[in-house]
Amino acid sequence: MMPSYFFAHGAPSLVIEEHGYTDFLKQFAKGTAKPKAIVLFSAHYENQVQSIGAVADTYSTIYDFSGFPDQLYQMTYPAKGDAALSKQIQSLFEVQGIPSRLDHERGLDHGSWAVLKLLYPDADIPVIALSVNRSLTNEQQYQIGRALAALKEQDIMIIGSGGTVHNLRRIQWNASNPEDWAVSFDHWLQSKLETWDLEALFNYREEAPYGTDAVPTTEHFIPLLLAMGSGDRSRKATRVYQNYQMGTLSLGCWQFE
């Protein structure tokens, strides 16, 4: 069965950076089976109704950022969609009473393509982009991911792209080490993920140390819960990589089996 993954995507410039995390992402495909398709929840694709990418042919590339090197605006990630898979996902949501809609127009934002370009640079795997909705409860987020668990049996990889510690207002541009509070939050998170403590995780903003510092807005944390939910059958979480940049951005990967 194909595992699900959560990948932090840091800043949009991740795709042109060179450090331990980008090296990890570039080598990732060598140690995992190639998926038949990728279903990806991006923190930067927000909608009040669960949206399912259903482009007819090739996704456009969205440059949803400003002030970065020109090189980034020349990059593309021409992944194709999969109409049959999009409709299957809609059916899985329907069975669980989750309202959804097919989106035939939206391209891939940097939360999707910046990560995928490092993982699978050839863009030769069909991609289904899925939205996030920060107005839902954390339990509802988990249940959305859980509704897609059957896809893993079809060798389809489910990815959440966001960030566990993602505080842009407190960035330390030249920091060589993470802030202590950022590490403290991620240590707490690791213990709750590895023990699959859903009650604590659903209430992380109140129970975790520095919960609101690490997660000042929730859209980057939601993809973790979505990816985790798809692993509900086995309930095994493994931290595959962890590092930081600029003091307050966590660069990590979690695997859910």
Side-chain angles (χ1 to χ4, degrees):
M1 183 181 293
M2 180 68 66
S4 303
Y5 293 92
F6 171 82
F7 293 102
H9 61 246
S13 55
L14 177 74
V15 71
I16 59 173
E17 295 170 6
E18 294 185 3
H19 46 64
Y21 185 53
T22 57
D23 289 345
F24 162 75
L25 294 175
K26 291 174 184 177
Q27 297 298 316
F28 174 83
K30 294 181 180 179
T32 59
K34 185 175 181 179
K36 292 182 179 178
I38 295 171
V39 173
L40 191 149
F41 293 94
S42 169
H44 295 279
Y45 182 9
E46 293 194 66
N47 207 308
Q48 289 297 302
V49 177
Q50 180 61 60
S51 297
I52 305 164
V55 295
D57 186 17
T58 303
Y59 283 95
S60 60
T61 304
I62 301 174
Y63 306 102
D64 52 333
F65 47 81
S66 60
F68 286 88
D70 291 342
Q71 181 184 357
L72 286 180
Y73 302 93
Q74 308 304 316
M75 289 187 171
T76 61
Y77 193 78
K80 296 185 180 299
D82 183 327
L85 179 55
S86 296
K87 291 178 181 178
Q88 181 187 358
I89 290 171
Q90 187 172 42
S91 295
L92 291 172
F93 285 145
E94 183 177 1
V95 169
Q96 298 300 320
I98 300 169
S100 66
R101 59 179 287 272
L102 297 177
D103 186 340
H104 299 278
E105 298 180 357
R106 194 178 191 278
L108 298 177
D109 58 67
H110 81 270
S112 298
W113 66 261
V115 172
L116 292 176
K117 198 169 182 69
L118 293 171
L119 294 173
Y120 300 104
D122 294 335
D124 58 349
I125 301 171
V127 174
I128 307 299
L130 297 183
S131 66
V132 302
N133 179 1
R134 69 172 90 180
S135 69
L136 301 178
T137 67
N138 290 328
E139 184 174 6
Q140 288 173 314
Q141 310 289 1
Y142 184 89
Q143 295 303 327
I144 288 172
R146 188 172 182 267
L148 302 182
L151 297 178
K152 299 168 66 172
E153 299 174 1
Q154 303 172 36
D155 294 328
I156 294 171
M157 182 181 290
I158 298 170
I159 292 176
S161 174
T164 54
V165 178
H166 193 85
N167 193 322
L168 300 180
R169 292 185 178 181
R170 297 179 65 176
I171 279 178
Q172 305 293 325
W173 292 100
N174 298 314
S176 56
N177 295 304
E179 296 290 301
D180 289 343
W181 58 263
V183 175
S184 179
F185 176 83
D186 270 335
H187 281 173
W188 179 91
L189 183 62
Q190 179 179 359
S191 70
K192 303 308 178 186
L193 287 170
E194 290 178 344
T195 57
W196 216 271
D197 187 342
L198 295 180
E199 182 177 356
L201 288 166
F202 292 162
N203 295 287
Y204 71 92
R205 287 173 69 82
E206 294 77 30
E207 296 194 16
Y210 308 103
T212 56
D213 293 297
V215 189
T217 58
T218 60
E219 74 283 352
H220 278 78
F221 193 86
I222 289 169
L224 176 71
L225 297 173
L226 293 162
M228 184 186 187
S230 69
D232 184 77
R233 295 180 183 179
S234 298
R235 295 194 167 196
K236 181 179 179 181
T238 304
R239 191 173 76 173
V240 184
Y241 187 91
Q242 183 63 57
N243 211 327
Y244 299 85
Q245 66 178 168
M246 294 179 279
T248 67
L249 293 181
S250 180
L251 299 179
C253 170
W254 278 92
Q255 175 180 294
F256 302 104
E257 295 182 24

